[in-house]
Amino acid sequence: MMDKKRYMFHNILLLIGASLVVLILYFEILQLEGSNQKLTEEVSLIRAQMHRNDKSSLSSPIIGGGAGGGSLVEVPNVILDERKDLVVIYNRVPKTGSTSFINVAYDLCRQNSYHVLHINVTANMHVLSLANQVKFAFNVSKWDAIKPALYHGHIAFVDFAKFGIKSHPVWINLIRRPLDRLVSYYYFLRFGDDYRPYLVRRKHGDKMSFDDCVQKKQADCHPDNMWLQVPFFCGHSASCWEPGNKWALEEAKRNLINQYLLVGVTEEMEDFIRMLEVTLPSFFKGAVKHYLNSKKSHLRRTVQKTVPSSGTVKIIQESKVWQMEQELYDFALAQFHFMRRRTLGQSATNRSTQATTERPQQFMYEKIRPK
């Protein structure tokens, strides 16, 4: 009898053990199925990310061995197509060819998917009140619906940092030989241009030449009228707008280097556009081809303009204001040439081509720890 009870108890234990094994296997299967589902989801996410990366050329492949046995990691490309918050400000100096340049931007804005906005200041004033500086800085930074955007207008540089704004715009500009700019503006006020020939300008009917104006020491040709490019780069400080102020010149130089992505020269506008096309392709893709083919490479020609005599040039060049404005121009020109040599490919020097290639160059990261 005892043997029979032991036999039955043994079978019950075996049945319970087998049931436990089945339950354990069942839960293991459920866990594996959950893991498989999670893995499937992860793979789907990875594939989606890879697809986006392929589309935007964002990748970080290991491309070789570095010094000391480390690996070199290629720098990821910027996802230009996804830079929806990019803001560019072109605080254009009058009579520097700005109409020709900005019309290229207007023509490209639809195909390159950005907005262009003109900053229209009352009475064409170049300096904003403090309250308007604050409003402008916050409008530009917070107006997300209009981004990416290129703003342009005849205003002096505005320092966004002093208003506590973390997101700063990208500044660009063009600069021109100061005497050429003054002469162009002098005749523009009298004869207008071919861009809007129907407008009657402020000095319409005054046929005095620039040479005669200088000889008679008239106000319209006074060297102080050249004091414009320095304050445009200097900004909104009172000293910026004092003709011949040495601090203003030095501040303009500092801002040109530290605050501006690129400052070109009117006399080499094509290369300025080429530089922008390789640096900011999300805005300027196709700009060089359009600039060369759209007959907009020189808009707004002054209707009548006489080159000043050598005697007039000598008188102007003796002025402190011309010397300081010319110093800023030479400084900007040297910086522009420096960046052009290190940025543009060989096609930039070949005026028969409409393609712009970047100078071959790479930078990579290595010796990354911990692995």
Side-chain angles (χ1 to χ4, degrees):
M1 187 71 178
M2 290 295 297
D3 289 342
K4 187 175 181 180
K5 287 181 178 181
R6 287 184 186 144
Y7 177 76
M8 290 179 64
F9 182 72
H10 179 72
N11 287 340
I12 290 172
L13 289 177
L14 288 176
L15 182 61
I16 292 173
S19 299
L20 288 174
V21 171
V22 171
L23 285 173
I24 291 171
L25 288 175
Y26 174 74
F27 284 113
E28 288 286 343
I29 291 171
L30 288 178
Q31 186 175 358
L32 286 173
E33 287 179 348
S35 299
N36 183 61
Q37 178 65 27
K38 185 177 180 181
L39 180 60
T40 301
E41 292 173 356
E42 292 289 340
V43 169
S44 298
L45 288 173
I46 292 171
R47 285 175 175 172
Q49 181 65 40
M50 290 175 65
H51 177 72
R52 288 194 297 270
N53 289 347
D54 289 341
K55 184 178 180 180
S56 61
S57 300
L58 177 63
S59 57
S60 301
I62 303 298
I63 62 172
S71 297
L72 292 180
V73 180
E74 187 177 5
V75 179
N77 292 329
V78 177
I79 315 177
L80 291 170
D81 291 339
E82 297 181 6
R83 293 186 66 180
K84 302 303 183 185
D85 63 340
L86 182 62
V87 173
V88 178
I89 298 182
Y90 171 36
N91 63 319
R92 46 195 286 196
V93 181
K95 305 308 296 179
T96 57
S98 60
T99 300
S100 297
F101 172 71
I102 202 60
N103 269 274
V104 173
Y106 270 111
D107 290 346
L108 293 176
C109 66
R110 184 176 297 276
Q111 72 181 53
N112 288 345
S113 301
Y114 63 90
H115 294 91
V116 183
L117 303 87
H118 178 231
I119 308 162
N120 191 348
V121 184
T122 305
N124 292 320
M125 297 177 67
H126 306 318
V127 177
L128 300 176
S129 68
L130 182 60
N132 278 335
Q133 289 180 59
V134 175
K135 291 177 183 177
F136 174 66
F138 276 91
N139 287 162
V140 168
S141 302
K142 304 300 183 182
W143 194 4
D144 294 334
I146 208 70
K147 297 176 184 177
L150 189 158
Y151 293 77
H152 68 99
H154 296 311
I155 63 169
F157 170 75
V158 178
D159 184 5
F160 280 48
K162 71 179 182 181
F163 304 120
I165 297 175
K166 295 181 180 180
S167 177
H168 295 181
V170 173
W171 292 82
I172 61 173
N173 215 331
L174 281 163
I175 194 170
R176 186 178 183 180
R177 294 188 185 101
L179 180 55
D180 290 351
R181 198 199 65 79
L182 177 60
V183 171
S184 179
Y185 187 65
Y186 178 88
Y187 285 108
F188 168 74
L189 291 180
R190 286 154 177 78
F191 301 102
D193 55 38
D194 57 1
Y195 189 67
R196 292 191 289 180
Y198 51 85
L199 285 183
V200 178
R201 301 296 172 177
R202 179 157 51 91
K203 293 288 183 175
H204 178 73
D206 181 2
K207 300 186 184 302
M208 182 184 293
S209 69
F210 187 80
D211 286 336
D212 289 341
C213 180
V214 171
Q215 290 298 324
K216 295 178 180 181
K217 299 182 180 180
Q218 298 292 306
D220 285 353
C221 54
H222 193 280
D224 284 359
N225 292 324
M226 281 183 291
W227 191 255
L228 192 62
Q229 298 185 131
V230 168
F232 257 62
F233 285 91
C234 179
H236 280 69
S237 298
S239 297
C240 295
W241 297 88
E242 296 176 4
N245 186 290
K246 182 64 176 177
W247 176 86
L249 172 60
E250 296 306 317
E251 181 71 2
K253 289 181 180 179
R254 283 189 290 269
N255 285 339
L256 189 150
I257 293 296
N258 298 324
Q259 305 293 345
Y260 283 79
L261 171 70
L262 183 66
V263 176
V265 294
T266 304
E267 298 79 11
E268 300 175 23
M269 189 182 295
E270 182 182 328
D271 280 351
F272 175 67
I273 295 174
R274 289 182 183 274
M275 290 276 287
L276 288 173
E277 183 165 350
V278 300
T279 307
L280 292 175
S282 58
F283 276 65
F284 296 102
K285 181 180 180 181
V288 173
K289 182 178 180 180
H290 183 77
Y291 175 75
L292 296 175
N293 293 330
S294 64
K295 297 181 181 180
K296 293 186 177 180
S297 59
H298 198 146
L299 292 175
R300 207 162 204 159
R301 294 176 184 269
T302 301
V303 173
Q304 181 177 327
K305 184 168 57 178
T306 304
V307 177
S309 67
S310 57
T312 297
V313 172
K314 183 178 180 181
I315 292 172
I316 295 295
Q317 291 182 345
E318 289 174 351
S319 69
K320 181 180 180 181
V321 167
W322 176 85
Q323 293 167 8
M324 297 179 76
E325 280 274 339
Q326 185 66 35
E327 183 177 338
L328 177 65
Y329 174 85
D330 292 338
F331 181 83
L333 182 65
Q335 174 67 11
F336 179 66
H337 286 171
F338 176 83
M339 297 307 299
R340 184 182 63 185
R341 286 193 302 270
R342 284 155 180 79
T343 302
L344 295 182
Q346 292 299 316
S347 66
T349 60
N350 182 358
R351 291 295 175 263
S352 64
T353 182
Q354 297 177 3
T356 301
T357 58
E358 188 176 0
R359 180 181 179 182
Q361 186 183 60
Q362 282 186 319
F363 70 95
M364 303 167 193
Y365 301 118
E366 63 176 353
K367 300 179 181 178
I368 303 171
R369 299 294 185 273
K371 292 185 177 181

